[in-house]
């Protein structure tokens, strides 16, 4: 018996020593012979450790090394805000802010005598049925929580404060009782589970809209009772002929869909001032049919429309769309400089054709796939672009004829209030809503390998995303945002967030000097 035990012990020790040694030798010999990586030829094993650390680096930084305000594109505080408001409808934090108040930045101007809740212009009907979670007990290695049905106030604008797109230009204007909607996200960029959850959740919250993205209207965008804004890009997906030309007949058909309330002509997107990009691995038979393209083939849209090549041509095309479709039409732009914006607005003045809305997408906005150089260095950020467009419209006396929709990292109420103060009327959010359905910022949207089933068309990966669960989180997040924006308006002494303007925002520089955010001197 002792002999058998000794033999077993020798075998175990042998395995523990021999097996790792064999693995070590295998790596050593293999890496020393390869010619692709220099560091592996000189340091076969240690070099391997370096590559492993490099691969896992983003996760290490996100969860271990970055402080709460360092992460990009969103820091941990912003990330947690979305998750907590979506799951618990809570916006509370403890102890105080972690913002570096020594740094320069924008602040909302608070009034000594803010508005009381009963003084606010808020429509709280109908109430919204949802699902909320509560934490029963939370420890280091365990958490007990339960969910229950909940009733939330919707925080709508009143009818008097509602924003109406196309009020004086089309047969069927679009009335909005909420200032926050979902920015453009295509079926294909996101999977059907995510699109469906977003559609249902936004429909539950009401008073909002869902932008289809350039990939056209899918059945999943229509799953919920939500108003839809159909985006049309230079790729003309959903409104194109077999030869890739714009089809007025197809456009007319889309305009007759009851859920479609408005159209957006996408000239550019902040993170990629070019046409859209979808890898062939994402282009399923279904997506190809919806977009009228070939399945399995990578899609690269043209970087501009072929139907027009100047501002006047764009406006005439837009006006024809309004005439045929009978619904509001706007444009999505990325601001490059003041001169181009002025040329665009000047053309509006000369032709008498003003878009029903102008979506100003900042260069700091997100995307499912873009080239490094475009995402990093092209297009002004949202807070720089907004006042420029706002002031230019005022200069030509057109500001009251159109609405400005702002987008680009506006996922919390304070940032939304700042955008409104800088000139926006409405707010578009994409990545915030992605986080609400489970996005963990893995930043692999372009690979079709999203680990939580959001930005992927892979059916196996999409199984991770429960539509019936995530729809509530979308709804809760949007309601929390709207309540937070009303609270910001109250702090500023307003009775509605629609009344934010430059007087309600101030800039503090790094020397602690506070300055009002004024209009551009040449357009004031």
């Amino acid at each position: 018996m002792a002999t058998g035990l000794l033999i077993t012990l020798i075998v175990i020790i042998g395995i523990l020593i021999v097996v790792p040694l064999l693995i070590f030798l295998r790596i050593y010999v293999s890496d020393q012979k390869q010619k692709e990586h220099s560091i592996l030829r000189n340091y076969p094993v240690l070099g391997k450790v370096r590559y492993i650390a490099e691969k896992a680096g983003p996760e290490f930084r996100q969860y271990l090394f970055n402080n709460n305000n360092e992460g990009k594109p969103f820091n941990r505080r912003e990330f947690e805000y979305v998750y907590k408001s979506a799951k618990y409808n809570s916006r509370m934090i403890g102890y105080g802010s972690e913002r570096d108040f020594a740094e320069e930045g924008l602040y909302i101007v608070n009034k000594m005598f803010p508005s009381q809740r009963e003084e606010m212009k808020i429509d709280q009907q109908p109430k919204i049925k949802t699902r909320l979670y509560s934490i029963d007990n939370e420890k280091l290695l365990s958490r007990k929580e339960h969910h229950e049905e909940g009733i939330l106030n919707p925080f709508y604008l009143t009818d008097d404060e509602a924003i109406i797109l196309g009020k004086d230009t089309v047969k069927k204007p679009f009335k909005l009782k909420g200032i926050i909607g979902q920015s453009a996200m295509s079926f294909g960029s996101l999977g059907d589970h995510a699109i469906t959850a977003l559609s249902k959740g936004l429909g539950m919250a009401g008073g909002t809209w869902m932008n289809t993205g350039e990939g056209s209207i899918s059945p999943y965008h229509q799953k919920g009772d939500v108003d839809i804004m159909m985006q049309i890009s230079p790729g003309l997906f959903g409104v194109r002929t077999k030869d890739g030309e714009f089809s007025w007949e197809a456009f007319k058909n889309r305009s007759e869909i009851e859920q479609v309330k408005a159209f957006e002509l996408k000239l550019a997107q902040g993170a990629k001032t070019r046409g859209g990009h979808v890898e062939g691995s994402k282009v399923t038979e279904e997506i190809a049919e919806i977009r009228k393209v070939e399945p399995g083939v990578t899609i690269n849209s043209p970087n501009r429309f072929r139907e027009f090549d100047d501002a006047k041509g764009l406006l005439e095309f837009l006006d024809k769309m309004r005439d045929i479709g009978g619904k509001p039409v706007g444009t999505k732009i990325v601001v490059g400089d003041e001169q181009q914006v002025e040329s665009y607005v000047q053309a509006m003045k000369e032709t008498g054709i003003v878009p029903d809305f102008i979506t100003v997408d900042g260069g700091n906005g997100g995307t499912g796939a873009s080239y490094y150089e475009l995402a990093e260095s092209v297009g002004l950020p949202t807070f720089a672009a907004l006042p420029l467009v706002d002031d230019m419209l005022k200069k030509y006396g057109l500001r009251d004829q159109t609405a400005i929709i702002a987008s680009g990292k506006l996922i919390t109420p304070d940032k939304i209030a700042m955008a409104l103060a800088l000139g926006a009327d409405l707010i578009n959010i994409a990545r915030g809503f992605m986080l609400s359905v489970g996005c963990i910022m893995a930043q692999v949207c372009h690979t079709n390998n999203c680990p939580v089933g959001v930005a992927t068309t892979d059916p196996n990966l999409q199984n991770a995303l429960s539509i019936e669960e995530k729809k509530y989180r979308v709804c809760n997040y949007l309601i929390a945002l709207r309540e937070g924006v009303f609270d910001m308006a109250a702090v500023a002494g307003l009775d509605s967030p629609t009344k934010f303007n430059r007087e309600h925002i101030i800039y503090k520089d790094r020397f602690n000097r506070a300055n009002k955010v004024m209009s551009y001197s040449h357009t004031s």
Side-chain angles (χ1 to χ4, degrees):
M1 186 173 179
T3 304
L5 186 61
L6 181 61
I7 292 173
T8 302
L9 187 61
I10 292 172
V11 170
I12 292 173
I13 293 173
I15 291 173
L16 292 176
I17 295 175
V18 174
V19 172
L21 183 61
L22 290 174
I23 294 173
F24 176 88
L25 291 173
R26 173 70 178 84
I27 293 173
Y28 190 93
V29 173
S30 175
D31 286 343
Q32 198 174 45
K33 288 182 177 180
Q34 60 81 37
K35 298 181 180 180
E36 184 179 356
H37 303 288
S38 299
I39 194 169
L40 293 181
R41 284 172 66 84
N42 287 338
Y43 307 99
V45 178
L46 290 178
K48 211 69 156 182
V49 174
R50 174 186 179 275
Y51 284 116
I52 292 172
E54 183 179 58
K55 180 69 175 176
E59 286 75 16
F60 282 133
R61 286 190 292 274
Q62 182 177 355
Y63 296 108
L64 297 176
F65 302 132
N66 281 338
N67 69 37
N68 286 344
N69 293 319
E70 284 182 333
K72 302 293 183 183
F74 300 105
N75 62 47
R76 189 175 293 117
R77 299 283 272 193
E78 294 167 322
F79 181 88
E80 286 183 350
Y81 172 86
V82 177
Y83 265 63
K84 289 179 179 179
S85 61
K87 194 172 183 179
Y88 310 105
N89 192 242
S90 172
R91 310 192 318 278
M92 291 292 179
I93 64 170
Y95 206 66
S97 173
E98 295 184 27
R99 178 176 181 174
D100 185 350
F101 290 97
E103 292 295 318
E104 57 192 12
L106 294 170
Y107 294 82
I108 292 296
V109 177
N110 62 294
K111 290 296 175 70
M112 292 181 66
F113 305 99
S115 302
Q116 296 292 319
R117 177 59 65 85
E118 60 268 20
E119 296 173 324
M120 303 295 290
K121 293 183 178 180
I122 310 174
D123 187 349
Q124 299 289 30
Q125 297 295 334
K127 307 299 182 185
I128 296 173
K129 295 181 180 180
T130 185
R131 176 187 295 171
L132 299 171
Y133 281 81
S134 295
I135 298 175
D136 302 314
N137 188 13
E138 186 171 22
K139 297 180 180 179
L140 181 62
L141 299 178
S142 68
R143 184 210 304 238
K144 291 184 179 180
E145 59 184 6
H146 71 279
H147 66 77
E148 56 190 26
E149 301 303 310
I151 303 293
L152 296 178
N153 287 319
F155 288 90
Y156 297 137
L157 300 172
T158 61
D159 288 329
D160 291 341
E161 296 295 317
I163 296 171
I164 302 175
L165 303 181
K167 182 179 180 181
D168 301 314
T169 59
V170 294
K171 297 176 182 177
K172 297 181 178 180
F174 183 19
K175 182 178 180 180
L176 289 164
K177 297 197 68 175
I179 59 174
I180 304 164
Q182 184 213 284
S183 191
M185 290 194 285
S186 301
F187 173 51
S189 179
L190 269 58
D192 60 86
H193 281 43
I195 295 291
T196 300
L198 288 165
S199 177
K200 290 186 174 183
L202 293 167
M204 290 167 58
T208 186
W209 66 94
M210 183 181 202
N211 192 309
T212 64
E214 68 173 54
S216 189
I217 304 171
S218 73
Y220 311 104
H221 287 103
Q222 298 176 274
K223 290 288 186 179
D225 183 23
V226 62
D227 292 332
I228 290 175
M229 185 180 290
M230 180 180 173
Q231 186 182 86
I232 299 173
S233 77
L236 307 177
F237 304 119
V239 290
R240 56 187 276 161
T241 65
K242 291 183 178 179
D243 297 326
E245 301 294 324
F246 186 83
S247 169
W248 288 103
E249 180 182 0
F251 168 72
K252 184 72 165 61
N253 290 337
R254 296 292 185 274
S255 68
E256 291 172 352
I257 298 173
E258 181 62 28
Q259 268 185 277
V260 176
K261 304 297 183 182
F263 293 89
E264 179 182 74
L265 286 169
K266 173 188 169 184
L267 273 67
Q269 181 178 337
K272 52 180 180 188
T273 51
R274 59 182 289 278
H277 174 91
V278 182
E279 288 293 331
S281 59
K282 280 189 168 186
V283 185
T284 63
E285 293 278 354
E286 183 180 28
I287 290 168
E289 174 59 28
I290 291 170
R291 296 196 181 202
K292 307 303 179 187
V293 296
E294 292 297 319
V297 177
T298 295
I299 301 171
N300 278 301
S301 305
N303 63 1
R304 71 170 180 83
F305 286 87
R306 294 190 175 92
E307 286 69 23
F308 44 82
D309 57 10
D310 60 15
K312 182 180 178 181
L314 162 63
L315 294 170
E316 290 173 347
F317 188 82
L318 178 150
D319 203 38
K320 185 176 179 179
M321 290 178 67
R322 287 196 296 212
D323 183 54
I324 292 175
K327 294 182 177 179
V329 182
T331 61
K332 182 174 185 176
I333 65 170
V334 175
V335 174
D337 64 10
E338 178 189 353
Q339 182 179 359
Q340 293 184 72
V341 175
E342 182 157 24
S343 295
Y344 185 29
V345 177
Q346 192 171 24
M348 297 178 201
K349 187 71 173 180
E350 292 172 355
T351 62
I353 303 170
V354 182
D356 295 307
F357 60 90
I358 301 171
T359 301
V360 179
D361 195 21
N364 53 334
T367 180
S370 182
Y371 295 110
Y372 172 88
E373 59 274 16
L374 294 179
E376 290 289 316
S377 303
V378 181
L380 289 176
T382 306
F383 286 171
L386 274 175
L388 198 157
V389 175
D390 181 50
D391 286 342
M392 198 62 71
L393 288 166
K394 289 174 180 176
K395 176 181 178 180
Y396 285 87
L398 302 175
R399 186 61 185 89
D400 61 348
Q401 296 182 43
T402 188
I404 295 177
I405 305 177
S407 62
K409 295 188 73 173
L410 306 174
I411 70 169
T412 55
D414 56 324
K415 295 298 189 298
I416 291 172
M418 290 174 186
L420 295 174
L422 289 170
D425 300 291
L426 301 166
I427 303 296
N428 264 343
I429 298 175
R431 286 176 291 181
F433 283 118
M434 287 178 67
L435 291 171
S436 74
V437 293
C439 168
I440 60 171
M441 297 196 299
Q443 300 185 39
V444 292
C445 308
H446 58 296
T447 67
N448 206 35
N449 293 319
C450 175
V452 289
V454 178
T456 178
T457 57
D458 186 317
N460 294 322
L461 291 172
Q462 287 196 80
N463 283 335
L465 198 160
S466 169
I467 295 170
E468 290 307 304
E469 168 67 22
K470 299 302 184 183
K471 70 180 183 182
Y472 292 109
R473 302 200 188 188
V474 173
C475 175
N476 297 340
Y477 170 55
L478 178 54
I479 294 171
L481 282 178
R482 291 197 297 228
E483 182 177 7
V485 174
F486 268 103
D487 285 349
M488 294 295 287
V491 165
L494 304 172
D495 59 14
S496 171
T498 60
K499 295 177 181 176
F500 272 112
N501 59 48
R502 305 284 174 83
E503 295 179 2
H504 304 112
I505 193 166
I506 196 164
Y507 176 78
K508 185 198 78 69
D509 67 23
R510 57 181 177 154
F511 302 107
N512 289 321
R513 294 175 302 200
N515 300 285
K516 286 286 189 179
V517 178
M518 305 301 291
S519 300
Y520 288 85
S521 60
H522 46 274
T523 60
S524 58

